[in-house]
Each structure stands twice: as C-alpha cells, then as structure tokens.
Amino acid sequence: MAPSNKAHVAVLAFPFSSHPSALFFLARKLSEWAPDVVFSFFCTPKTNGSLSSWPALPNLRIYDVADGLPVGHVSKGRVDDEIDFFLGATPGNYREAVKRVDEIEKVSCVVSDAFLWFAREMAEEMGVAWVAFWIAGACALSVHLNTDLIRRKIGTRTEEVSARMDESLAFIPGCSQFRVRDLPEGIVFGPLDFSLFKSLHRMSQELPRATAVLVNTVEEMDYDPVLDRLGTVLNKCLPVGPLTLLAPTRPDSDSDPYSCLPWLEARAHDPASVVYVGFGTVIMPPPSELAALVEALEESGVHFLWSLKDYMRESLPTGFLDRTLGRGLVVPWTPQSRVLGHVAVGAFINHCGWNSVLESIAFGVPMIYRPFFADHRINARILSQVLGIAVEVKGGVLTKDGVMDGLDLLLKREEGKKMRERIGALKLIAKNAVGETGSSTKNLKTALEIIRGSAA
Ligand code: U2F
C-alpha cells in the first residue's frame, strides 16, 4: 500500500433503476468540486458500461463488482431475479473490489447508496466514515427508518394488516397524512422475505449509524416535520436535491436520439398544451391500463409525447400510431428533464417515481399520477395532500375516463391553473436551493467537508 494523505473515497452504487446514475452524478459533482480527492466508483459491469458516455474526469475511476448472475444466465426480463442474484453476491463482491483499490491507495471514506447497508460494516472495519445517499424523498426515508415501530404497531400477518390498511401513520411524527396502504411493500405487507426487502430492513437499522445521510430533496420544500425528525434520528441529514438541477448536463438522459425536442419545438407556439407520459425505468402499466391510456390519448385529442419501452410498443392497438400521427410521438427514450423544461409541455402522466417527481417540480409541470409500488404511494400523497401540485387518476388505476378527466383538469380548468401556480413557486424554491448560496449547494459542500475530513 502506498502511504498517502490524499482523500480516497470508495463510492458503492446499487445497480438498478435510476439509482446508479444518480449516485454517479453525485460522485461526478464532488469530483469536479474536489480535484484533489480521488473517487473510486463501484458498480456492476453492465451499469458501468451504460455510464461510459459521460466525459472522463481524472480523479473519478470506475471499477466493476460481480453482479452475481450465474454463468450463462439468460434474463427473463424480471428485475426481481436480478436483484436477488446481485444481493446474494453482496457484500463479498464490494469487499473484494474495494480491498483491491484500498491496497493501492488507502480508502479514507465510504459513500454508498443507502440500500447497501453493509457499507457501514466495511467503513467501520477500515476505520473510516460512512456517508449514505438516499435517492428518494424524506417521507419515504422516514417510513423505512420506522419499519420496526410500524411492524410493532400494525403487525405483519396478512389478515391483521389488511384490516388496518386505512389507518393513519400519525404515530410517526410528520406522517399523519399517510395510511398503512401507502407504505412501500416490504414494511408490513408484500413478500417480506424478498432479499431486497430484507436489505431495506437492515438499512433502516444501520442508517442512524452513518456519519451523514444525503437525501435527494430540498430543505425548503420537503415536508418540514419529517425533515426535522430525520435530523434527530440520523447523525446528520443533508438534503442535496434536486440532483437533476445540480446536473448541468447528463449525457445518459440528455441526448435526444428520437428527436423529441424538435417535435416539441413545433408546438412551442402553444405553451403548456402537450402531455408527457412516462413511467420511469422499471415498471410498465398492465395491458388493460395501457389500453385505457391509449383510448384516452386518442379520444381527448391532446398532443402527447410518450416514453414507452420498445417491448411494450407491440402492445399498442393496431392503427393507434397512424391515427395519432402528427399529434402524438411514442419513443423508447426521451431526454426527460429537457422535455419537462420545454414550454410546450403542460402535464406529466407518471408513476410518482421520485426522480420524475423532482424533475416535474424543477420544471414546473403539474402531474397526473398512477402509483405502482415502493415509495410511489407516499410520494403521491405528498404531491396531492401536502403540496397540491398533482392529481391522482380517478379510481387509482388508468381508465379512459379517469385519464381524460385528469387531462381536462390540468390543461383546461381553473384548478389546473392553480396547480401550475403552486408548482411554479416550488420550481423557484428548487432553483434557489441549487444556486451558489442555496441550501442544497451548502449541504453538498458540508458533505464534501465530511468526506475530506475523514482523510485526516
Ligand atoms: C425507481 O424509479 P424509476 O427509476 O423507475 O423512476 P424515476 O425515479 O422517476 O426515475 C426515472 C429517471 O429516468 C429518466 C428520468 C428520471 O431521472 O428523467 N428517464 C429519462 O431521462 N428518459 C426516459 O425516457 C425515461 C426516464 C423506483 F421505481 C422509484 O420507486 C423510486 O422513487 C426511484 C428513486 O429511488 O427509483
């Protein structure tokens, strides 16, 4: 091992959905701010490959960790299986990879996705600080951190939980607007023995021991009592979002191979008239809901841009694309942030994935949502009950009438105008937070000090 006083940060990413690119961006931001600090980013080969379009930085290195997939594994397209294999390979895969770089240049701090709870043990064994990054919102983090309490109060047996679905979580400070049914799977319902849910439970026990937890939210925007409470449970809670706005350019999501932006430009004369549809990187509505959405888009006569994975395109009814030619564009990938920032876009139909939510806020576009799993229902309640900037599709699932009603509300009615005003105010708050003296910038600088400090 070469003795060195130089700070060397091991960054451990969780390789699924939008997690790795968010942490990679954070690592890049810190690398740019601190050229004297070395950052070693660890993720699976497939994900690392997808990050290769980013320009290289001299102090940011990328290393592979094993993905745990059996040799010759043929993907059935089920992300749960891949997560299972991956978690089966942890923490050994990270330990091995980090040990190799530590032998060459001593690691002085571990930064990890909060999901990777074992980073605490690794950091402790190396005698360095652990800084965790929670990619989602403060309320979702709060309910996870209270997993044991919620289980004690509500139980975990299917019959007892089903009978209490409408009870409030008021026993958690700041969470009175959430009901048991809004909880992410794996806390009191869902397959509690699924490897990811077991990991999240461990995470809830380990996070209070992290030196600091960075949260992808905005101090002035998130639901105050929750952030205050997190500040007492965690050693240090640092809201550093929205990451989207901290990112000047993101080659992974900014490129526009399907010419969405010129298409939107042709609608620039009619501000807030186009609806953008996108359900993130993991889920896709079931076929019946997809069909209802198609009918609503067709019958409403609105202009729409839809990010729809290629394998789902085949499920679109025959003739739909031809019939909506000119007023609809369906593509497998969009530069989402830039789309939401375009003047022509007036509504976003989404699943309440936290990044999509923050991006919509960052660009002032009100939402129609259909939550599916994980933190979606919690996020949904904040958007409608607390912030008043989104509307749930009537009945909670995509139906033709529900979607058409939502579109009418957002694009035409007074209520939609009010939502636009409220989200416009939040847009400014988010923008200020990432300004030179804004709270998120300040918090990220504090995080950097912690990271550097542990080099001493
Ligand atoms: C998981 O959410 P997802 O990754 O499915 O969805 P989002 O959090 O909304 O993030 C999607 C990101 O992918 C980008 C988009 C977002 O940054 O801008 N994107 C794009 O640029 N172009 C496209 O055509 C499609 C997507 C999980 F399901 C949620 O529960 C969590 O809230 C979330 C964060 O943990 O991760």
Side-chain angles (χ1 to χ4, degrees):
M1 180 187 66
S4 156
N5 283 332
K6 208 171 180 184
H8 177 198
V9 187
V11 183
L12 319 187
F14 179 74
F16 298 97
S17 75
S18 32
H19 283 240
S21 59
L23 187 58
F24 188 64
F25 168 67
L26 195 75
R28 286 187 65 88
K29 190 83 195 165
L30 294 170
S31 310
E32 282 164 2
W33 278 357
D36 56 319
V37 177
V38 172
F39 291 82
S40 294
F41 183 88
F42 296 86
C43 203
T44 51
K46 189 173 156 201
T47 302
N48 284 343
S50 72
L51 300 171
S52 61
S53 53
W54 292 75
L57 289 171
N59 57 333
L60 175 59
R61 302 162 189 169
I62 299 179
Y63 297 94
D64 288 347
V65 297
D67 55 19
L69 294 176
V71 178
H73 172 79
V74 180
S75 170
K76 295 194 188 89
R78 280 178 46 85
V79 74
D80 285 7
D81 291 345
E82 289 180 24
I83 291 177
D84 237 354
F85 283 123
F86 165 74
L87 287 175
T90 63
N93 53 353
Y94 286 95
R95 279 183 190 283
E96 217 175 276
V98 172
K99 187 165 171 260
R100 274 199 297 272
V101 300
D102 183 62
E103 279 167 2
I104 298 162
E105 194 162 14
K106 179 103 186 75
V107 168
S108 59
C109 180
V110 175
V111 172
S112 82
D113 190 302
F115 280 23
L116 304 180
W117 57 269
F118 49 81
R120 199 268 308 155
E121 284 175 358
M122 288 176 62
E124 206 168 275
E125 285 159 17
M126 292 190 277
V128 302
W130 172 38
V131 175
F133 170 58
W134 175 254
I135 187 180
C139 292
L141 176 56
S142 186
V143 295
H144 276 290
L145 286 175
N146 282 287
T147 298
D148 287 323
L149 173 66
I150 300 173
R151 286 184 179 181
R152 276 199 303 279
K153 293 261 188 198
I154 306 296
T156 50
R157 284 190 303 114
T158 311
E159 317 80 70
E160 57 189 350
V161 178
S162 343
R164 306 184 66 175
M165 282 297 201
D166 289 318
E167 281 183 32
S168 150
L169 299 180
F171 56 87
I172 306 171
C175 290
S176 57
Q177 78 280 26
F178 303 128
R179 304 152 302 179
V180 172
R181 66 171 64 257
D182 299 321
L183 286 169
E185 292 77 3
I187 293 188
V188 289
F189 54 77
L192 303 194
D193 59 348
F194 173 39
S195 54
L196 178 62
F197 297 157
K198 288 206 271 190
S199 276
L200 292 178
H201 186 205
R202 277 302 294 273
M203 171 197 79
S204 73
Q205 296 162 339
E206 299 289 357
L207 275 186
R209 300 164 76 180
T211 307
V213 179
L214 314 186
V215 184
N216 185 15
T217 192
V218 179
E219 209 166 286
E220 297 83 359
M221 186 194 80
D222 219 309
Y223 191 53
D224 283 341
V226 170
L227 268 181
D228 288 351
R229 176 77 185 142
L230 285 179
T232 64
V233 175
L234 302 172
N235 284 319
K236 204 163 199 53
C237 174
L238 296 169
V240 296
L243 281 185
T244 300
L245 285 186
L246 278 166
T249 52
R250 299 182 51 161
D252 60 335
S253 55
D254 276 5
S255 62
D256 187 17
Y258 303 100
S259 303
C260 302
L261 297 169
W263 185 85
L264 283 174
E265 202 43 39
R267 298 285 312 154
H269 62 277
D270 195 1
S273 64
V274 175
V275 56
Y276 172 57
V277 185
F279 296 100
T281 59
V282 187
I283 52 102
M284 204 27 82
S288 59
E289 291 191 51
L290 201 75
L293 178 57
V294 161
E295 283 181 46
L297 292 173
E298 193 162 352
E299 201 165 311
S300 63
V302 292
H303 283 74
F304 62 90
L305 170 59
W306 188 351
S307 169
L308 182 73
K309 295 188 185 80
D310 270 338
Y311 73 90
M312 292 300 292
R313 201 179 168 94
E314 293 156 18
S315 318
L316 295 175
T318 322
F320 166 69
L321 293 172
D322 290 334
R323 290 193 298 276
T324 53
L325 197 69
R327 75 173 170 89
L329 183 63
V330 182
V331 295
W333 186 258
T334 69
Q336 184 166 298
S337 288
R338 295 172 75 195
V339 163
L340 290 167
H342 197 281
V343 65
V345 175
F348 182 11
I349 301 182
N350 68 32
H351 61 312
C352 278
W354 188 248
N355 295 294
S356 291
V357 164
L358 276 189
E359 286 160 15
S360 224
I361 289 174
F363 296 103
V365 179
M367 294 157 262
I368 301 171
Y369 59 75
R370 184 330 190 177
F372 286 88
F373 69 91
D375 55 345
H376 301 173
R377 292 174 292 263
I378 292 277
N379 301 339
R381 291 289 277 188
I382 306 166
L383 296 183
S384 54
Q385 309 284 309
V386 181
L387 302 174
I389 54 171
V391 59
E392 177 167 36
V393 68
K394 266 195 192 142
V397 295
L398 299 164
T399 58
K400 184 178 102 181
D401 291 348
V403 174
M404 285 179 70
D405 190 62
L407 287 174
D408 191 65
L409 188 151
L410 284 198
L411 300 175
K412 298 196 182 130
R413 288 188 235 152
E414 187 56 26
E415 221 175 319
K417 204 171 145 213
K418 292 250 161 59
M419 280 190 190
R420 199 172 309 284
E421 280 164 17
R422 283 194 288 268
I423 203 166
L426 290 175
K427 171 182 166 174
L428 283 182
I429 290 176
K431 191 165 170 241
N432 289 339
V434 297
E436 220 170 301
T437 55
S439 56
S440 291
T441 307
K442 203 182 80 216
N443 288 334
L444 201 53
K445 286 191 172 151
T446 304
L448 187 55
E449 275 167 32
I450 293 169
I451 288 167
R452 274 184 194 286
S454 60

mmCIF file of all heavy atoms in Angstrom, residues 31 38 49 81 112 160-161 166 170-171 207 212 262 280 294 312 336 353 356 398 417 420:
data_model
loop_
_atom_site.group_PDB
_atom_site.id
_atom_site.type_symbol
_atom_site.label_atom_id
_atom_site.label_comp_id
_atom_site.label_asym_id
_atom_site.label_seq_id
_atom_site.Cartn_x
_atom_site.Cartn_y
_atom_site.Cartn_z
ATOM 1 N N SER A 31 -16.379 15.157 -7.493
ATOM 2 C CA SER A 31 -15.056 15.072 -8.142
ATOM 3 C C SER A 31 -14.679 16.407 -8.783
ATOM 4 O O SER A 31 -13.518 16.821 -8.746
ATOM 5 C CB SER A 31 -15.024 14.031 -9.255
ATOM 6 O OG SER A 31 -15.538 12.837 -8.827
ATOM 7 N N VAL A 38 -9.634 11.625 -4.688
ATOM 8 C CA VAL A 38 -9.857 10.562 -5.673
ATOM 9 C C VAL A 38 -11.166 9.838 -5.339
ATOM 10 O O VAL A 38 -11.419 9.511 -4.176
ATOM 11 C CB VAL A 38 -8.680 9.558 -5.642
ATOM 12 C CG1 VAL A 38 -8.988 8.338 -6.511
ATOM 13 C CG2 VAL A 38 -7.408 10.244 -6.103
ATOM 14 N N GLY A 49 -20.942 0.099 -17.909
ATOM 15 C CA GLY A 49 -20.916 0.267 -19.373
ATOM 16 C C GLY A 49 -21.867 1.380 -19.792
ATOM 17 O O GLY A 49 -21.557 2.199 -20.656
ATOM 18 N N ASP A 81 -35.455 -10.997 -10.094
ATOM 19 C CA ASP A 81 -34.495 -12.108 -10.126
ATOM 20 C C ASP A 81 -33.072 -11.557 -10.113
ATOM 21 O O ASP A 81 -32.202 -12.052 -9.403
ATOM 22 C CB ASP A 81 -34.669 -12.934 -11.416
ATOM 23 C CG ASP A 81 -35.984 -13.701 -11.395
ATOM 24 O OD1 ASP A 81 -36.575 -13.805 -10.306
ATOM 25 O OD2 ASP A 81 -36.407 -14.160 -12.471
ATOM 26 N N SER A 112 -22.049 5.458 -0.011
ATOM 27 C CA SER A 112 -22.787 4.384 -0.692
ATOM 28 C C SER A 112 -24.244 4.753 -0.881
ATOM 29 O O SER A 112 -24.778 5.621 -0.193
ATOM 30 C CB SER A 112 -22.727 3.086 0.123
ATOM 31 O OG SER A 112 -23.703 3.120 1.147
ATOM 32 N N GLU A 160 -54.164 -9.267 9.753
ATOM 33 C CA GLU A 160 -54.198 -8.071 10.611
ATOM 34 C C GLU A 160 -53.875 -6.816 9.810
ATOM 35 O O GLU A 160 -54.487 -5.760 9.990
ATOM 36 C CB GLU A 160 -53.311 -8.217 11.861
ATOM 37 C CG GLU A 160 -51.863 -8.518 11.604
ATOM 38 C CD GLU A 160 -51.060 -8.866 12.867
ATOM 39 O OE1 GLU A 160 -51.565 -8.695 13.988
ATOM 40 O OE2 GLU A 160 -49.897 -9.308 12.719
ATOM 41 N N VAL A 161 -52.928 -6.925 8.882
ATOM 42 C CA VAL A 161 -52.551 -5.737 8.094
ATOM 43 C C VAL A 161 -53.710 -5.335 7.175
ATOM 44 O O VAL A 161 -54.062 -4.161 7.094
ATOM 45 C CB VAL A 161 -51.266 -5.994 7.275
ATOM 46 C CG1 VAL A 161 -50.917 -4.785 6.429
ATOM 47 C CG2 VAL A 161 -50.105 -6.340 8.194
ATOM 48 N N ASP A 166 -56.468 1.346 6.160
ATOM 49 C CA ASP A 166 -56.836 2.764 6.101
ATOM 50 C C ASP A 166 -56.426 3.552 7.335
ATOM 51 O O ASP A 166 -56.703 4.749 7.431
ATOM 52 C CB ASP A 166 -58.345 2.901 5.844
ATOM 53 C CG ASP A 166 -58.665 2.483 4.416
ATOM 54 O OD1 ASP A 166 -57.890 2.856 3.505
ATOM 55 O OD2 ASP A 166 -59.637 1.733 4.221
ATOM 56 N N ALA A 170 -50.075 8.348 11.981
ATOM 57 C CA ALA A 170 -49.871 9.530 12.823
ATOM 58 C C ALA A 170 -48.895 9.261 13.971
ATOM 59 O O ALA A 170 -48.342 10.206 14.544
ATOM 60 C CB ALA A 170 -51.206 10.010 13.370
ATOM 61 N N PHE A 171 -48.672 7.995 14.315
ATOM 62 C CA PHE A 171 -47.736 7.701 15.402
ATOM 63 C C PHE A 171 -46.277 7.960 14.992
ATOM 64 O O PHE A 171 -45.379 7.905 15.823
ATOM 65 C CB PHE A 171 -47.927 6.259 15.920
ATOM 66 C CG PHE A 171 -47.810 5.191 14.861
ATOM 67 C CD1 PHE A 171 -46.580 4.658 14.522
ATOM 68 C CD2 PHE A 171 -48.942 4.739 14.184
ATOM 69 C CE1 PHE A 171 -46.471 3.676 13.545
ATOM 70 C CE2 PHE A 171 -48.841 3.760 13.204
ATOM 71 C CZ PHE A 171 -47.597 3.225 12.880
ATOM 72 N N LEU A 207 -28.751 2.900 9.061
ATOM 73 C CA LEU A 207 -28.592 4.308 8.655
ATOM 74 C C LEU A 207 -28.352 5.280 9.812
ATOM 75 O O LEU A 207 -27.570 6.229 9.668
ATOM 76 C CB LEU A 207 -29.797 4.778 7.832
ATOM 77 C CG LEU A 207 -29.764 4.476 6.332
ATOM 78 C CD1 LEU A 207 -30.953 5.124 5.641
ATOM 79 C CD2 LEU A 207 -28.469 4.932 5.676
ATOM 80 N N ALA A 212 -23.244 10.651 7.932
ATOM 81 C CA ALA A 212 -24.226 11.579 7.349
ATOM 82 C C ALA A 212 -25.064 10.830 6.320
ATOM 83 O O ALA A 212 -24.607 9.840 5.738
ATOM 84 C CB ALA A 212 -23.512 12.749 6.674
ATOM 85 N N PRO A 262 -37.069 18.715 -31.200
ATOM 86 C CA PRO A 262 -37.590 19.415 -32.384
ATOM 87 C C PRO A 262 -39.102 19.218 -32.530
ATOM 88 O O PRO A 262 -39.834 20.130 -32.934
ATOM 89 C CB PRO A 262 -36.853 18.747 -33.558
ATOM 90 C CG PRO A 262 -35.664 18.091 -32.954
ATOM 91 C CD PRO A 262 -35.978 17.819 -31.514
ATOM 92 N N GLY A 280 -40.992 5.922 -15.838
ATOM 93 C CA GLY A 280 -39.698 5.605 -15.231
ATOM 94 C C GLY A 280 -38.970 4.460 -15.895
ATOM 95 O O GLY A 280 -39.254 4.096 -17.044
ATOM 96 N N VAL A 294 -54.261 4.533 -23.919
ATOM 97 C CA VAL A 294 -54.269 4.747 -25.370
ATOM 98 C C VAL A 294 -55.602 5.368 -25.814
ATOM 99 O O VAL A 294 -55.633 6.354 -26.554
ATOM 100 C CB VAL A 294 -54.025 3.397 -26.091
ATOM 101 C CG1 VAL A 294 -54.474 3.451 -27.537
ATOM 102 C CG2 VAL A 294 -52.562 3.003 -26.001
ATOM 103 N N MET A 312 -42.938 -2.826 -25.202
ATOM 104 C CA MET A 312 -44.350 -2.542 -24.936
ATOM 105 C C MET A 312 -45.044 -1.950 -26.157
ATOM 106 O O MET A 312 -46.271 -1.944 -26.253
ATOM 107 C CB MET A 312 -44.492 -1.541 -23.775
ATOM 108 C CG MET A 312 -44.096 -2.058 -22.430
ATOM 109 S SD MET A 312 -45.075 -3.485 -21.909
ATOM 110 C CE MET A 312 -46.674 -2.764 -21.656
ATOM 111 N N GLN A 336 -35.738 13.322 -20.630
ATOM 112 C CA GLN A 336 -36.913 13.720 -19.824
ATOM 113 C C GLN A 336 -36.836 15.124 -19.216
ATOM 114 O O GLN A 336 -37.788 15.881 -19.271
ATOM 115 C CB GLN A 336 -37.166 12.680 -18.726
ATOM 116 C CG GLN A 336 -38.419 12.982 -17.911
ATOM 117 C CD GLN A 336 -38.865 11.813 -17.075
ATOM 118 O OE1 GLN A 336 -39.204 10.768 -17.615
ATOM 119 N NE2 GLN A 336 -38.874 11.976 -15.772
ATOM 120 N N GLY A 353 -42.423 8.040 -9.398
ATOM 121 C CA GLY A 353 -41.008 7.751 -9.094
ATOM 122 C C GLY A 353 -40.390 9.075 -8.651
ATOM 123 O O GLY A 353 -40.698 10.128 -9.224
ATOM 124 N N SER A 356 -38.726 11.453 -11.229
ATOM 125 C CA SER A 356 -39.699 12.090 -12.127
ATOM 126 C C SER A 356 -40.432 13.205 -11.388
ATOM 127 O O SER A 356 -40.676 14.285 -11.940
ATOM 128 C CB SER A 356 -40.704 11.066 -12.651
ATOM 129 O OG SER A 356 -40.044 10.183 -13.519
ATOM 130 N N LEU A 398 -55.360 3.404 -14.292
ATOM 131 C CA LEU A 398 -55.588 4.127 -15.543
ATOM 132 C C LEU A 398 -56.867 3.638 -16.226
ATOM 133 O O LEU A 398 -56.966 2.464 -16.596
ATOM 134 C CB LEU A 398 -54.396 3.944 -16.483
ATOM 135 C CG LEU A 398 -53.050 4.466 -15.963
ATOM 136 C CD1 LEU A 398 -51.890 3.898 -16.789
ATOM 137 C CD2 LEU A 398 -53.014 5.992 -15.982
ATOM 138 N N LYS A 417 -54.906 25.477 -13.295
ATOM 139 C CA LYS A 417 -54.143 26.730 -13.317
ATOM 140 C C LYS A 417 -53.523 26.982 -11.937
ATOM 141 O O LYS A 417 -52.360 27.371 -11.821
ATOM 142 C CB LYS A 417 -55.106 27.872 -13.693
ATOM 143 C CG LYS A 417 -54.418 29.036 -14.295
ATOM 144 C CD LYS A 417 -55.426 30.027 -14.842
ATOM 145 C CE LYS A 417 -54.856 31.415 -14.628
ATOM 146 N NZ LYS A 417 -55.868 32.403 -14.366
ATOM 147 N N ARG A 420 -50.611 24.785 -11.388
ATOM 148 C CA ARG A 420 -49.462 25.288 -12.147
ATOM 149 C C ARG A 420 -48.782 26.430 -11.374
ATOM 150 O O ARG A 420 -47.564 26.523 -11.319
ATOM 151 C CB ARG A 420 -49.928 25.776 -13.523
ATOM 152 C CG ARG A 420 -48.833 25.890 -14.564
ATOM 153 C CD ARG A 420 -49.414 26.178 -15.946
ATOM 154 N NE ARG A 420 -50.472 25.224 -16.274
ATOM 155 C CZ ARG A 420 -50.250 23.969 -16.641
ATOM 156 N NH1 ARG A 420 -49.025 23.542 -16.761
ATOM 157 N NH2 ARG A 420 -51.246 23.155 -16.891
#
